[in-house]
Short mmCIF file of all heavy atoms in Angstrom, two decimals:
data_model
loop_
_atom_site.label_atom_id
_atom_site.label_comp_id
_atom_site.label_asym_id
_atom_site.label_seq_id
_atom_site.Cartn_x
_atom_site.Cartn_y
_atom_site.Cartn_z
N PHE A 429 -15.19 8.45 -8.19
CA PHE A 429 -16.08 9.59 -8.01
C PHE A 429 -16.20 9.79 -6.67
O PHE A 429 -16.68 8.91 -5.80
CB PHE A 429 -17.42 9.32 -8.61
CG PHE A 429 -18.44 10.53 -8.62
CD1 PHE A 429 -18.29 11.50 -9.67
CD2 PHE A 429 -19.22 10.77 -7.58
CE1 PHE A 429 -18.89 12.59 -9.64
CE2 PHE A 429 -20.04 11.91 -7.55
CZ PHE A 429 -19.92 12.95 -8.53
N ALA A 430 -15.74 11.10 -6.16
CA ALA A 430 -15.77 11.47 -4.83
C ALA A 430 -17.18 11.77 -4.43
O ALA A 430 -17.76 12.75 -5.15
CB ALA A 430 -14.79 12.66 -4.54
N LEU A 431 -17.82 11.03 -3.48
CA LEU A 431 -19.24 11.17 -3.17
C LEU A 431 -19.67 12.50 -2.74
O LEU A 431 -18.79 13.23 -2.13
CB LEU A 431 -19.72 10.03 -2.33
CG LEU A 431 -19.47 8.62 -2.67
CD1 LEU A 431 -19.58 7.74 -1.50
CD2 LEU A 431 -20.47 8.28 -3.71
N PRO A 432 -20.95 12.87 -2.89
CA PRO A 432 -21.41 14.00 -2.30
C PRO A 432 -21.17 13.99 -0.74
O PRO A 432 -21.16 12.94 0.00
CB PRO A 432 -22.89 14.10 -2.64
CG PRO A 432 -22.87 13.26 -3.93
CD PRO A 432 -21.91 12.24 -3.70
N GLY A 433 -21.31 15.25 -0.17
CA GLY A 433 -21.02 15.26 1.35
C GLY A 433 -22.32 14.71 2.00
O GLY A 433 -23.26 14.47 1.45
N VAL A 434 -22.12 14.47 3.28
CA VAL A 434 -23.12 13.95 4.15
C VAL A 434 -23.80 15.12 4.88
O VAL A 434 -23.25 15.90 5.57
CB VAL A 434 -22.58 13.13 5.33
CG1 VAL A 434 -23.65 12.59 6.19
CG2 VAL A 434 -21.85 11.88 4.75
N ARG A 435 -25.13 15.37 4.49
CA ARG A 435 -25.71 16.57 4.78
C ARG A 435 -26.11 16.92 6.14
O ARG A 435 -25.92 18.06 6.70
CB ARG A 435 -27.07 16.73 4.00
CG ARG A 435 -26.87 16.71 2.35
CD ARG A 435 -26.14 17.82 1.82
NE ARG A 435 -26.12 17.78 0.36
CZ ARG A 435 -26.65 18.69 -0.34
NH1 ARG A 435 -27.44 19.61 0.23
NH2 ARG A 435 -26.44 18.59 -1.62
N ASP A 436 -26.52 15.72 6.93
CA ASP A 436 -26.90 16.00 8.31
C ASP A 436 -26.67 14.52 9.01
O ASP A 436 -26.31 13.65 8.41
CB ASP A 436 -28.26 16.45 8.49
CG ASP A 436 -29.32 15.75 7.75
OD1 ASP A 436 -29.22 14.44 7.68
OD2 ASP A 436 -30.23 16.26 7.07
N SER A 437 -27.13 14.55 10.30
CA SER A 437 -27.14 13.32 11.05
C SER A 437 -27.96 12.05 10.63
O SER A 437 -27.67 10.89 11.01
CB SER A 437 -27.34 13.56 12.56
OG SER A 437 -28.76 14.03 12.58
N THR A 438 -28.79 12.41 9.73
CA THR A 438 -29.70 11.36 9.06
C THR A 438 -29.20 10.86 7.78
O THR A 438 -29.71 9.87 7.39
CB THR A 438 -31.13 11.79 9.00
OG1 THR A 438 -31.22 12.78 7.95
CG2 THR A 438 -31.72 12.26 10.18
N ASP A 439 -28.23 11.55 7.28
CA ASP A 439 -27.72 11.16 6.04
C ASP A 439 -26.52 10.23 6.08
O ASP A 439 -25.91 10.05 7.21
CB ASP A 439 -27.22 12.46 5.27
CG ASP A 439 -27.05 12.28 3.72
OD1 ASP A 439 -27.43 11.24 3.24
OD2 ASP A 439 -26.48 13.29 3.15
N PHE A 440 -26.01 9.66 4.93
CA PHE A 440 -24.94 8.82 4.99
C PHE A 440 -24.23 8.74 3.55
O PHE A 440 -24.89 9.04 2.60
CB PHE A 440 -25.15 7.43 5.42
CG PHE A 440 -26.14 6.64 4.61
CD1 PHE A 440 -25.82 5.87 3.50
CD2 PHE A 440 -27.55 6.70 4.83
CE1 PHE A 440 -26.72 5.07 2.77
CE2 PHE A 440 -28.56 5.99 4.10
CZ PHE A 440 -28.13 5.15 2.97
N PHE A 441 -22.99 8.40 3.55
CA PHE A 441 -22.38 8.42 2.15
C PHE A 441 -23.13 7.48 1.22
O PHE A 441 -23.56 6.37 1.50
CB PHE A 441 -20.89 7.73 2.39
CG PHE A 441 -19.98 8.60 2.96
CD1 PHE A 441 -19.23 8.14 3.99
CD2 PHE A 441 -19.70 9.99 2.54
CE1 PHE A 441 -18.26 8.80 4.55
CE2 PHE A 441 -18.78 10.78 3.16
CZ PHE A 441 -18.00 10.32 4.26
N ALA A 442 -23.32 7.91 -0.16
CA ALA A 442 -23.83 7.15 -1.09
C ALA A 442 -25.39 6.96 -0.96
O ALA A 442 -26.00 6.20 -1.61
CB ALA A 442 -23.20 5.91 -1.32
N ARG A 443 -25.97 7.66 0.11
CA ARG A 443 -27.49 7.47 0.17
C ARG A 443 -28.28 7.80 -1.10
O ARG A 443 -29.02 6.97 -1.51
CB ARG A 443 -27.97 8.42 1.32
CG ARG A 443 -29.53 8.20 1.55
CD ARG A 443 -30.02 9.38 2.51
NE ARG A 443 -29.78 10.65 1.94
CZ ARG A 443 -30.44 11.29 1.02
NH1 ARG A 443 -31.64 10.53 0.43
NH2 ARG A 443 -30.14 12.46 0.47
N ALA A 444 -28.04 8.83 -1.79
CA ALA A 444 -28.75 9.13 -3.00
C ALA A 444 -28.48 8.15 -4.12
O ALA A 444 -29.40 7.96 -4.84
CB ALA A 444 -28.50 10.58 -3.43
#
Side-chain angles (χ1 to χ4, degrees):
F429 187 82
L431 294 166
V434 178
R435 300 297 183 112
D436 53 41
S437 60
T438 66
D439 196 10
F440 61 93
F441 288 131
R443 179 191 58 78

